[in-house]
Amino acid sequence: MSWTNGPMWKSRMDPERERSGGHPKKGRKRRRAPNMPLGAAEAMRARRDLEERQPEAKKARLSTILFAENCEVTHDQLCELLKYAVLGKSSVPKPSWCQLFHQNHLNNVVVFVLQGMSQLHFYRFYLEFGFLRKAFRHKFRLPPPSSNFLADIIGLQKKQTTGDLSKMVGGSLPSASSKVSVNLQNDPVIQKYGSKKVGLTRCLLTKEEMKTFHFPLQGFPDCENFVPTKCNGSVTDSSPLFGLDCEMCLTSKGRELTRISLVAEGGCCVMDELVKPDNKILDYLTSFSGITKKILNPVTTKLKDVQRHLKALLPPDAVLVGHSLDLDLRALKMIHPYVIDTSLLYVREQGRRFKLKFLAKAVLGKDIQCPDRLGHDATEDARTTLELARYFLKYGPRKIAELNLEALASHQELLATGQELRNTAEIVYQPNTSVLECLDLMGQKLLFLTREAETSELCSARNCQTIKCLSNKEVLEQARVEIPLFPFSIVQFSFEPFSPNLTEEMNKRMRIKWTEMSTVYAGPFSKNCNLRALKRLFKSFGPVRSMTLVLETHQPHLCIQYEVLEAAQLAIESLDGILVEGACIKVQRPVTELTLDSNTLVNELEQDSENRGTIYLSGVSETFKEHLLQQSNLFLGLEAVILPKDLKSGKQKRYCFLKFKTFGSAQRALDILKGKDWKLKGRHALTPRHLHAWLRGLPPESRRPPGVRVIPPPSEQQALQALKMDHPKIAAWRWGRKIGKLYHSLGPGTLCLILLPGSKSTHGSFSGLGLMGIKDEEESTMPNMCS
């Protein structure tokens, strides 16, 4: 999905250029409300516009939309936010996945951890989690937890890895043979490649990985003018390797190529060319590229010359090796199918990447990109990536894991600061600093409330006040008393999870439920009905996964399975009981034990705080966003445009979501966009982005024909007969209400997170779920917060 944030529009649409089909018709004027004098209408609109634009008093608030990849927030990213909440922008980098405005107006941070629960539990017991779904506007998926979830989100794991290394002295990295305790099985290189040596073909990025890491690919919309290298031979473990590195400058059209270096496997440089960009150069980026105006002035070589030379030079089975190679190929505007990216080959934890300079020193023992040299040497970088790939192939993943690169990188970061944190006049932040250390720098302590039976590294931390309780009830009672006394609190409740088998069964049934809720039956139709027109009609409500004609009935019916729940609901609301081709049709969901509460669930989803202020639209054209921004004066309060794309073709789909600052702004926009000028179909949104991302991954084996009965396994029947106080279903209802009451007792300006960590076992992994909000902000945007 792509989205646009912020009120950044200034131009207005020229009426002469307006066209129908997702934007206003030519010559059509906005209609005023009937029975209202002209002056009154103008006054009302002016007053409403003024209210929308009124500057708000400064208070801590979160961005409307999260920038997480696939709506998943890693434990490291969560740690980023928590550290930023403590120290602020003067000392800590801003979180990469969300925006926290006016951090200095935050009063407290409270994290509730519901141990034993996952995203699956939240949506299985969605109706029971009354308060949580209404109170928190921000929801996001969490990856399955490691063995110590709390240590991950606080940042303790990295500190322990580097504990001994931080005591070392000297200005260079420890040698690759330094004896550092490391669990090889947990090393990400071992987890991806195994411990045995691998061949060249195993190191190649798959097409799926290339798609994930934004490599240029044939058929993708942003690669239309890219040139393929025509290397389509059969690749084997003995195919030739070529190291590639490019330098770029900044032009009026973005980054463009200024130098290319290609090194063959023997270390010989077979191509080293300076390139004159086609567009006006704004910044030569000399500190990185080493390129200056004087160097580039006499150059006549153009990008097309380089492309032609490279195509002629590379054999059919050539494998290109580079560091963040996707950027080089995009600078070249070329597509190549066989690549090894050393930033991904040397896998790092939590999706991060090692720098080339670090890998050169730690793995090869060589210094590159020296500070006394002007910019990078492209040939040296290309040769280094080639050597790193050959080292990996020669020695294998086990040798790489034994280098303990994560610990070496952390040690280098410690040395780079030059002194201990406390010896500086200002707070000096290091990437591996934990939340506890951030609090310590502020002279503050962390409160940790948990049950006696739970064990965590937090309990023994020096800067943590741990209170252990006998039960969840006692944890809750202590939280009411202790939370106001601490600036940062973690409150952990522990619940008995379902058995792995039952959890897997629940997972399948939940996914089937969402599929059935997105399916509608329509009819009866006459036997000579216009089937093409009917299909066009039902497709107008949103993307269709499948559409089949049902002939078992006396008269034909249609079964339509939509990709999104909003489309199915819109079809029901628009066509049920309407005359279609002379017949009054009924449009309804299949009735099964999984859809009996679908009307209630749809109503509650619409009231979900993340969906309030968001609208769904169907029938949008490719130019919809452009025309929407040109008509921005009609859509005050618009904060994000979410445009889903087809995962295979990369093309924009014909539906979108618009996110507004308030429910009122969203309703006004919906009225306009459904009107005669724009001719769109739409309604208020039902599926938050993280849920949509989860449902998109629906595996075929979990679907069933609508209407087929799912019989609960005996284990679930027994479990439901013997409900205990801490059974997840009961816990969802009871503890959702209890946490709600505790939340209401928190002071304004409290950043509150509810974390359901997920689960990991031999039977499989289940993602967690995070809910987040700032108390003052949430209550001001949610008029009805009753549970």
Side-chain angles (χ1 to χ4, degrees):
M1 291 187 181
S2 62
W3 58 84
T4 303
N5 277 332
M8 55 190 173
W9 323 290
K10 295 186 179 176
S11 61
R12 298 192 178 199
M13 183 183 288
D14 181 353
E16 295 301 318
R17 294 172 56 202
E18 295 173 358
R19 299 184 298 275
S20 62
H23 43 83
K25 289 183 178 180
K26 180 178 178 180
R28 180 87 66 168
K29 295 182 180 179
R30 271 186 81 198
R31 292 197 304 173
R32 302 188 183 278
N35 305 322
M36 184 180 290
L38 176 65
E42 293 290 354
M44 278 188 67
R45 184 157 63 249
R47 186 164 60 251
R48 188 186 75 209
D49 293 357
L50 185 63
E51 287 171 0
E52 291 281 0
R53 294 189 176 110
Q54 280 295 325
E56 297 179 359
K58 281 190 177 180
K59 59 183 180 182
R61 64 183 179 87
L62 290 157
S63 53
T64 302
I65 198 162
L66 305 183
F67 307 103
E69 181 70 26
N70 205 24
C71 305
E72 181 173 279
V73 176
T74 67
H75 301 148
D76 266 5
Q77 289 175 323
L78 205 52
C79 188
E80 279 177 15
L81 172 65
L82 296 178
K83 289 190 285 189
Y84 185 75
V86 174
L87 289 182
K89 64 182 177 183
S90 61
S91 307
V92 181
K94 293 181 178 181
S96 60
W97 58 282
C98 69
Q99 289 176 287
L100 173 56
F101 301 101
H102 309 308
Q103 172 274 342
N104 56 327
H105 288 265
L106 270 185
N107 295 321
N108 298 82
V109 179
V110 180
V111 181
F112 294 104
V113 180
L114 309 187
Q115 195 66 41
M117 291 195 179
S118 65
Q119 178 176 241
L120 173 62
H121 287 84
F122 184 80
Y123 285 106
R124 171 64 180 84
F125 306 123
Y126 183 80
L127 296 178
E128 282 78 15
F129 278 114
F131 169 76
L132 299 186
R133 59 186 157 82
K134 292 180 181 177
F136 294 95
R137 191 179 184 188
H138 303 277
K139 302 179 184 72
F140 49 88
R141 191 170 65 211
L142 292 169
S146 64
S147 56
N148 199 332
F149 172 74
L150 286 176
D152 285 342
I153 66 169
I154 295 300
L156 286 181
Q157 298 285 52
K158 296 186 199 69
K159 298 305 297 179
Q160 296 210 341
T161 305
T162 61
D164 296 331
L165 289 171
S166 62
K167 298 175 184 176
M168 294 181 181
V169 293
S172 62
L173 283 169
S175 68
S177 60
S178 296
K179 297 296 180 184
V180 181
S181 175
V182 57
N183 185 344
L184 295 184
Q185 293 310 310
N186 290 337
D187 190 282
V189 174
I190 297 288
Q191 289 182 347
K192 180 172 182 178
Y193 296 102
S195 57
K196 295 180 180 179
K197 290 184 182 181
V198 294
L200 181 153
T201 52
R202 177 69 178 85
C203 299
L204 295 175
L205 290 183
T206 64
K207 188 171 183 180
E208 201 59 40
E209 287 173 322
M210 291 177 75
K211 189 187 299 182
T212 300
F213 295 109
H214 310 296
F215 277 73
L217 291 170
Q218 199 87 40
F220 272 54
D222 59 342
C223 306
E224 289 173 352
N225 299 319
F226 281 41
V227 177
T229 58
K230 299 295 184 185
C231 294
N232 48 15
S234 180
V235 175
T236 66
D237 287 343
S238 57
S239 291
L241 299 175
F242 291 84
L244 175 69
D245 187 66
C246 295
E247 300 298 342
M248 283 79 88
C249 69
L250 191 63
T251 73
S252 57
K253 294 292 185 180
R255 289 180 181 266
E256 287 191 55
L257 184 71
T258 53
R259 183 183 176 186
I260 174 177
S261 289
L262 189 72
V263 177
E265 199 159 357
C268 175
C269 182
V270 293
M271 185 178 180
D272 189 14
E273 293 274 2
L274 291 170
V275 187
K276 178 71 71 71
D278 293 326
N279 298 289
K280 183 182 177 181
I281 298 174
L282 306 178
D283 189 343
Y284 284 83
L285 303 176
T286 306
S287 59
F288 299 103
S289 67
I291 306 294
T292 62
K293 183 177 181 180
K294 184 178 179 181
I295 292 172
L296 214 54
N297 261 344
V299 176
T300 58
T301 304
K302 290 289 193 175
L303 177 63
K304 61 182 179 182
D305 302 318
V306 169
Q307 292 172 336
R308 188 163 50 245
H309 189 184
L310 200 59
K311 284 173 68 175
L313 201 61
L314 294 174
D317 62 339
V319 175
L320 292 180
V321 181
H323 199 79
S324 296
L325 189 56
D326 55 307
L327 302 178
D328 298 310
L329 288 172
R330 286 190 176 276
L332 285 165
K333 292 191 175 180
M334 296 191 79
I335 296 170
H336 188 77
Y338 313 125
V339 297
I340 294 175
D341 192 325
T342 49
S343 71
L344 300 170
L345 184 66
Y346 287 79
V347 193
R348 197 175 183 185
E349 293 174 354
Q350 299 291 339
R352 295 174 297 157
R353 304 192 193 188
F354 294 111
K355 292 182 178 179
L356 181 62
K357 179 180 174 71
F358 166 78
L359 288 175
K361 182 67 174 175
V363 179
L364 306 174
K366 61 187 280 189
D367 293 304
I368 64 169
Q369 302 173 0
C370 299
D372 57 346
R373 187 188 300 158
L374 183 63
H376 298 176
D377 183 335
T379 303
E380 181 185 63
D381 288 358
R383 188 174 285 119
T384 301
T385 60
L386 198 54
E387 291 173 15
L388 285 168
R390 290 171 63 194
Y391 186 99
F392 192 99
L393 292 169
K394 182 178 179 180
Y395 293 104
R398 185 178 181 84
K399 176 69 173 177
I400 306 303
E402 288 172 350
L403 295 176
N404 200 7
L405 295 174
E406 191 68 47
L408 296 180
S410 298
H411 173 59
Q412 187 185 52
E413 290 160 358
L414 282 170
L415 293 175
T417 60
Q419 52 191 322
E420 291 296 326
L421 287 170
R422 287 192 173 278
N423 293 340
T424 57
E426 295 180 0
I427 295 171
V428 177
Y429 167 77
Q430 300 171 50
N432 64 327
T433 301
S434 71
V435 172
L436 284 171
E437 286 175 320
C438 292
L439 287 166
D440 196 33
L441 290 167
M442 304 294 289
Q444 298 170 340
K445 270 191 170 186
L446 181 147
L447 169 68
F448 180 41
L449 284 164
T450 187
R451 281 171 61 166
E452 192 76 48
E454 295 296 321
T455 58
S456 171
E457 293 167 39
L458 259 183
C459 299
S460 57
R462 179 182 62 83
N463 197 38
C464 176
Q465 177 69 50
T466 301
I467 300 176
K468 290 200 169 187
C469 306
L470 295 175
S471 64
N472 283 337
K473 184 179 179 181
E474 191 180 337
V475 170
L476 183 72
E477 290 170 352
Q478 287 288 336
R480 289 197 185 102
V481 176
E482 300 291 341
I483 284 177
L485 308 177
F486 289 83
F488 196 113
S489 307
I490 296 179
V491 181
Q492 179 170 266
F493 300 103
S494 301
F495 303 102
E496 189 65 34
F498 283 134
S499 69
N501 288 337
L502 187 52
T503 303
E504 180 58 37
E505 179 64 24
M506 276 176 54
N507 186 47
K508 288 180 180 178
R509 296 181 71 196
M510 271 301 297
R511 291 174 179 241
I512 292 169
K513 180 184 180 105
W514 286 99
T515 301
E516 291 184 347
M517 284 185 62
S518 301
T519 300
V520 298
Y521 281 92
F525 300 106
S526 64
K527 293 177 181 179
N528 58 352
C529 63
N530 187 337
L531 195 57
R532 181 177 295 180
L534 287 176
K535 287 186 176 182
R536 191 164 55 246
L537 172 64
F538 282 96
K539 283 182 179 179
S540 69
F541 298 105
V544 171
R545 196 187 298 273
S546 67
M547 192 181 304
T548 54
L549 192 62
V550 180
L551 299 174
E552 283 80 1
T553 51
H554 175 63
Q555 288 179 285
H557 286 68
L558 277 177
C559 174
I560 307 103
Q561 187 184 118
Y562 288 98
E563 287 183 25
V564 293
L565 181 60
E566 286 84 354
Q569 188 62 26
L570 194 54
I572 293 170
E573 292 167 348
S574 304
L575 297 180
D576 187 35
I578 298 296
L579 275 173
V580 176
E581 294 201 352
C584 183
I585 65 167
K586 188 166 185 62
V587 182
Q588 61 186 337
R589 290 188 175 87
V591 179
T592 73
E593 78 285 356
L594 297 182
T595 60
L596 287 173
D597 62 354
S598 58
N599 288 341
T600 304
L601 188 53
V602 165
N603 291 336
E604 293 301 326
L605 281 166
E606 197 167 315
Q607 296 302 315
D608 190 300
S609 59
E610 190 169 354
N611 293 329
R612 288 184 67 83
T614 303
I615 61 174
Y616 162 83
L617 296 171
S618 178
V620 300
S621 64
E622 289 184 1
T623 58
F624 170 74
K625 186 170 97 172
E626 174 191 339
H627 289 280
L628 184 77
L629 301 186
Q630 288 174 340
Q631 292 281 296
S632 60
N633 58 312
L634 298 180
F635 305 106
L636 296 176
L638 177 62
E639 295 187 310
V641 181
I642 303 168
L643 298 162
K645 291 184 177 180
D646 186 276
L647 295 177
K648 291 181 179 178
S649 67
K651 291 183 179 179
Q652 179 185 317
K653 294 196 173 185
R654 289 186 57 80
Y655 72 96
C656 74
F657 294 90
L658 304 185
K659 209 167 184 66
F660 289 85
K661 190 173 182 180
T662 64
F663 179 81
S665 300
Q667 183 61 58
R668 286 193 292 271
L670 186 60
D671 292 340
I672 293 169
L673 291 165
K674 287 170 63 180
K676 291 182 179 178
D677 290 349
W678 290 75
K679 286 192 172 180
L680 296 176
K681 291 183 170 68
R683 72 174 323 280
H684 289 282
L686 298 173
T687 44
R689 285 182 63 237
H690 73 274
L691 177 60
H692 190 65
W694 179 42
L695 297 176
R696 258 204 330 265
L698 183 67
E701 64 269 18
S702 70
R703 301 190 189 114
R704 60 166 178 161
V708 176
R709 178 173 167 75
V710 173
I711 302 173
S715 56
E716 185 172 61
Q717 291 175 335
Q718 292 163 8
L720 294 176
Q721 287 169 0
L723 286 176
K724 297 180 181 178
M725 295 303 285
D726 278 350
H727 184 283
K729 183 173 183 176
I730 300 301
W733 179 76
R734 291 179 68 246
W735 289 96
R737 290 170 63 90
K738 289 178 184 294
I739 291 171
K741 290 178 181 177
L742 186 55
Y743 176 83
H744 283 305
S745 72
L746 300 176
T750 298
L751 173 63
C752 185
L753 289 95
I754 312 285
L755 303 179
L756 289 67
S759 61
K760 205 171 187 178
S761 71
T762 53
H763 293 265
S765 300
F766 292 93
S767 299
L769 181 73
L771 301 91
M772 175 175 68
I774 297 174
K775 182 162 185 275
D776 203 24
E777 175 196 28
E778 298 300 326
E779 291 192 339
S780 66
T781 58
M782 290 299 299
N784 181 14
M785 296 294 296
C786 60
S787 60

